[in-house]
Amino acid sequence: MTENARSHGRLSVSASLKPRDLMAERPRLRGAWTARVITLFPEAFPGILGLSLTGKALDQGLWALEPIDLRPFGEGRHRNVDDTPAGGGAGMVLRADVVAKALDQAAIGTPPDRARWPVVYLSPRGAPFTQATARRFAAAEGLTLLCGRFEGVDERVLEEYAVEEVSLGDFVLTGGEIAAEALIDATVRLLPGVLGNAASTEEESHSAGLLEHPHYTRPAEWRGRPIPEVLLSGNHGAVERWRRDMAERLTEARRPDLWAAYRRKPD
């Protein structure tokens, strides 16, 4: 006689290549946004993502994090994941066959539509990661992130799996793990229920194409520097106009590229 399968209700579980301590497993709401991260350093996660609001939301099951260790997919007795670059040169390159097996594992149970589940490689040659990108990722059901190492990844696997390349900026890191955590943080905070006040995401930098206005709080005067009088006036219309004016001034002075794009937008 067999037991009937227990219903998990609003909770969801996922398969894993690695045995897990189920008592220590975080709960997950069914349909929760999920980040699967292919990395040689799964112990780097959740890292900072396990703290503050993202960590609280993770513990509540509002989103889920699934690091996937690349090493077990390696070749040979030593589980090699890389090889020398074709054509010569310094460094090593992650092998296409190895990365492909990890991507196949990460794809289990996910929709093939890249709009519903993006597959992203953190790369300094990728398209710039912006607030609009974070909103697009947050609107998906989840995403898979590939963290590069060494000189990069064999181009063929990126082409075969229609991997989207995304960059945090014009600089190079030793690996994609830090970039992955930053990308996940920017995305997760846009998910429903993660922030205490959802309206705060509507007023912050880049949400409207402008940098955010300055902020002040108590004491009313500090080291001879008072809070601008308009913020203490109680006139909400005047406060809103001041904030918009300051946002425009800061954007024009600090980010002429954003300012030019903002000025081109239709009214």
Side-chain angles (χ1 to χ4, degrees):
M1 184 175 179
T2 59
E3 290 187 9
N4 292 330
R6 294 183 179 179
S7 170
H8 293 281
R10 296 176 64 211
L11 300 182
S12 173
V13 295
S14 63
S16 171
L17 288 176
K18 185 177 179 180
R20 297 174 299 179
D21 179 358
L22 296 181
M23 296 300 293
E25 188 75 4
R26 288 184 170 95
R28 181 188 311 189
L29 298 182
R30 189 172 299 279
W33 189 91
T34 302
R36 294 183 173 177
V37 185
I38 300 172
T39 171
L40 281 169
F41 299 96
E43 65 274 14
F45 296 88
I48 195 67
L49 297 170
L51 304 176
S52 189
L53 294 176
T54 54
K56 182 179 179 181
L58 186 62
D59 289 337
Q60 292 174 338
L62 297 180
W63 70 286
L65 177 65
E66 299 179 5
I68 297 174
D69 190 353
L70 182 61
R71 184 64 66 183
F73 299 99
E75 295 292 318
R77 183 163 61 92
H78 298 292
R79 298 295 182 186
N80 293 325
V81 300
D82 58 350
D83 211 324
T84 56
M92 304 291 280
V93 177
L94 290 176
R95 293 174 50 137
D97 52 352
V98 172
V99 173
K101 287 185 286 187
L103 287 171
D104 288 340
Q105 174 67 29
I108 294 175
T110 70
D113 184 353
R114 288 291 188 261
R116 295 174 58 192
W117 194 286
V119 178
V120 176
Y121 169 45
L122 285 312
S123 165
R125 73 177 192 182
F129 180 67
T130 65
Q131 191 70 10
T133 314
R135 285 194 293 267
R136 174 164 63 88
F137 289 163
E141 298 172 34
L143 84 166
T144 295
L145 294 172
L146 171 60
C147 297
R149 281 276 155 179
F150 317 121
E151 294 303 307
V153 178
D154 190 306
E155 187 73 16
R156 293 170 295 179
V157 75
L158 301 178
E159 296 172 350
E160 177 72 17
Y161 285 80
V163 177
E164 177 180 355
E165 295 187 55
V166 173
S167 171
L168 256 60
D170 296 334
F171 54 89
V172 179
L173 299 170
T174 55
E177 287 75 17
I178 294 174
E181 290 194 7
L183 184 151
I184 293 171
D185 182 275
T187 303
V188 164
R189 63 192 303 277
L190 299 177
L191 299 176
V194 173
L195 295 185
N197 182 4
S200 63
T201 64
E202 300 172 4
E203 301 175 356
E204 60 195 7
S205 290
H206 305 292
S207 292
L210 295 171
L211 299 182
E212 195 171 9
H213 57 77
H215 292 278
Y216 299 88
T217 188
R218 295 174 180 171
E221 184 173 328
W222 178 77
R223 295 187 179 180
R225 298 173 181 267
I227 294 176
E229 290 185 11
V230 65
L231 299 180
L232 305 176
S233 67
N235 186 329
H236 298 296
V239 169
E240 181 61 30
R241 288 191 295 272
W242 180 87
R243 287 175 171 170
R244 172 52 65 106
D245 179 60
M246 292 304 299
E248 291 181 348
R249 290 187 188 184
L250 283 171
T251 305
E252 184 178 15
R254 299 182 182 182
R255 291 292 303 273
D257 56 329
L258 292 179
W259 178 246
Y262 175 76
R263 293 296 300 272
R264 288 195 299 267
K265 287 169 46 177
D267 294 334

